[in-house]
DNA sequence: ACCTGAACACCGTTCAAGT
DNA sequence: ACCTGAACACCGTTCAAGT
């Protein structure tokens, strides 16, 4: 039980401000889940490049090689992160509403789940079809596409793309990464706007008119809403007559 | 001129088979353009992870640090690769056809340009608005969206997403990466299909029906065509009445 | 102008070993 | 079952120096 007490002792090594936010006050026992959780937090605050076997080990006060007990390699860790992300999707129950309303709801549920984690959203792409919640998501989407009148093959093509599009919607929203803030963010935006201002107005009238909306994203919610609408309307538009 | 002769001598160090394809028989003078060209070729054959300052230096029989004369850092090299890609877009001339026909033509021109380079397509995302051919592309797209009746702000949101969607269309086409071929590719497909076959048919009828199209991408051309159609139809669908 | 050499702080990963 | 220690082959990058 001295062992248990040791595990539960408050960490008292000096932490930088950011680390305080991330690393738990209580040293928890290492496990795939807690590693994934800290990896997600790390990616959110410092980007996917910061998610490193060695860095995670350090945050858990453990040797890098300890990670290899819980994950066979880094790829497996990324799989774990993606599964966490996909598992966070809260699908609405099927209803008797028309297929387009339900499809929109499903895409939005997916978007809402991954939106807090733009830097790891891309990891979900190749991993949807290899975990249970992803398969459920795909099944629902495919069902609605069939209901819309698409053939099985077209449903597969379109369904793949729709999920892929939602991911790239959150992974690549315009403007500087959301996690850079304050003066630095302002500076990046100013720089981008200055680049636009130097353009010949006669050749780029529409780029200049869009100006600010291109450099920052005028309104994030609008950006997501209009493009989700676009995707659903697109399916509506390609149905066989 | 001994210098010139030295530059022109055929390389006679032993090459592996792949290197023969990639590295020019004549050792050319180092320049940003030839470095970018070999980086693109390297990414196409071995993926973006293989594009490394040290690896490129090695292929040009030069010290890694020599690269830093031509590019301030790796980011600048990636910028160069992206510019090359965007510069390869061959936009059709404006016509008096309706906006949707022209928009579809523009998106297709973009797709055709990047389709041969799926592993670096993603680099283009953040760099379209910082090089001349990218600005021209954006200007044309925005103009057509305005012609479709969208407000400047919505045009910006939608235009950003459309280009982003085309990129993710080629960067993430379903199935194993195109550059793995032959027996290895077959094996990966078999493995994925086996995963599907193990699913309970009652819970995943549509995934199973789509089966092969999800695991391989039944027809690449179809995949691109239907989803380009979807994007254009989507714009049509969200126009103000 | 263009490139080299040595060095630094990082990676992921293997293998043998400890408890 | 879970972790350590030493080692290897890689990264990007800086800085001083060569021609």
């Amino acid at each position: 039980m001295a062992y248990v007490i040791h595990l539960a002792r408050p960490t008292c090594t000096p932490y930088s401000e950011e680390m305080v936010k991330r690393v738990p006050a209580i040293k928890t026992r290492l496990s795939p889940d807690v590693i994934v959780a800290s990896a997600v937090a790390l990616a959110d605050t410092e980007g996917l490049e910061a998610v490193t076997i060695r860095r995670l080990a350090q945050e858990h006060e453990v040797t890098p090689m300890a990670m290899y007990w819980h994950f066979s390699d880094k790829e497996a860790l990324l799989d774990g992160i993606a599964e966490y992300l996909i598992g966070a999707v809260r699908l609405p129950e099927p209803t008797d509403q028309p297929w387009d309303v339900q499809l929109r709801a499903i895409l939005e549920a997916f978007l809402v789940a991954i939106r807090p984690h733009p830097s790891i959203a891309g990891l979900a792409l190749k991993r949807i079809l290899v975990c249970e919640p992803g398969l459920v998501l795909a099944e629902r989407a495919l069902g609605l596409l069939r209901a819309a009148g698409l053939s099985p093959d077209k449903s597969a093509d379109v369904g793949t793309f729709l999920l892929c599009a939602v991911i790239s919607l959150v992974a690549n929203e315009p403007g500087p990464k959301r996690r850079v803030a304050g003066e630095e963010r302002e500076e990046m935006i100013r720089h981008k706007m200055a680049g636009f201002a130097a353009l010949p107005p006669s050749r780029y009238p529409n780029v200049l008119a869009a100006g600010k909306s291109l450099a920052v994203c005028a309104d994030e919610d609008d950006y997501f809403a209009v493009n989700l609408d676009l995707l659903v309307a697109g399916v509506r538009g390609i149905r066989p007559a």
Side-chain angles (χ1 to χ4, degrees), chain A:
Chain A
M1 39 176 151
Y3 180 61
V4 171
I5 289 167
H6 172 73
L7 283 179
R9 78 161 204 281
T11 51
C12 47
T13 37
Y15 287 109
S16 72
E17 251 190 88
E18 309 99 274
M19 291 182 76
V20 156
K21 282 185 237 146
R22 196 164 41 250
V23 85
I26 306 292
K27 185 173 180 183
T28 54
R29 179 198 245 98
L30 220 47
S31 79
D33 284 345
V34 333
I35 295 174
V36 163
S38 60
V40 169
L42 183 52
D44 289 343
T45 53
E46 302 189 32
L48 187 55
E49 328 81 64
V51 176
T52 258
I53 298 271
R54 295 179 111 103
R55 174 73 184 271
L56 287 170
Q58 179 184 321
E59 301 213 330
H60 287 281
E61 297 178 326
V62 108
T63 296
M65 292 63 90
M67 295 299 169
Y68 287 88
W69 179 260
H70 304 279
F71 296 97
S72 61
D73 56 9
K74 188 172 184 183
E75 195 63 13
L77 169 63
L78 298 179
D79 290 344
I81 296 175
E83 264 180 61
Y84 167 87
L85 215 54
I86 299 168
V89 179
R90 291 291 157 254
L91 286 180
E93 291 300 312
T95 66
D96 49 6
Q97 294 175 297
W99 67 266
D100 54 351
V101 177
Q102 293 198 65
L103 181 62
R104 162 84 207 214
I106 283 189
L107 295 183
E108 189 161 347
F110 187 38
L111 183 124
V112 165
I114 62 180
R115 186 175 169 177
H117 311 287
S119 59
I120 50 179
L123 295 178
L125 255 178
K126 315 287 189 147
R127 295 165 172 101
I128 291 182
L129 293 177
V130 296
C131 67
E132 206 255 345
L135 283 164
V136 172
L137 173 63
E139 176 64 24
R140 288 285 298 277
L142 288 172
L144 292 168
L145 292 172
R146 296 302 315 281
L150 299 190
S151 72
D153 273 6
K154 270 202 167 34
S155 295
D157 284 347
V158 171
T160 301
F161 173 65
L162 288 179
L163 299 184
C164 173
V166 170
I167 289 173
S168 71
L169 212 45
V170 342
N172 311 308
E173 62 182 319
K177 302 234 161 295
R178 217 172 335 152
R179 66 174 188 277
V180 333
E183 187 50 42
E184 192 183 353
R185 189 188 175 87
E186 295 302 319
E187 172 55 28
M188 292 176 77
I189 292 170
R190 257 199 310 278
H191 181 262
K192 193 136 200 180
M193 296 292 287
F196 285 162
L199 294 176
S202 57
R203 296 184 56 195
Y204 302 106
N206 292 302
V207 168
L208 291 172
K212 190 151 187 180
S213 298
L214 286 176
V216 266
C217 183
D219 185 310
E220 245 180 50
D221 292 332
D222 282 354
Y223 178 73
F224 291 131
V226 70
N227 289 312
L228 282 185
D229 286 343
L230 184 151
L231 290 172
V232 175
V235 177
R236 208 178 291 121
I238 61 168
R239 281 174 307 166

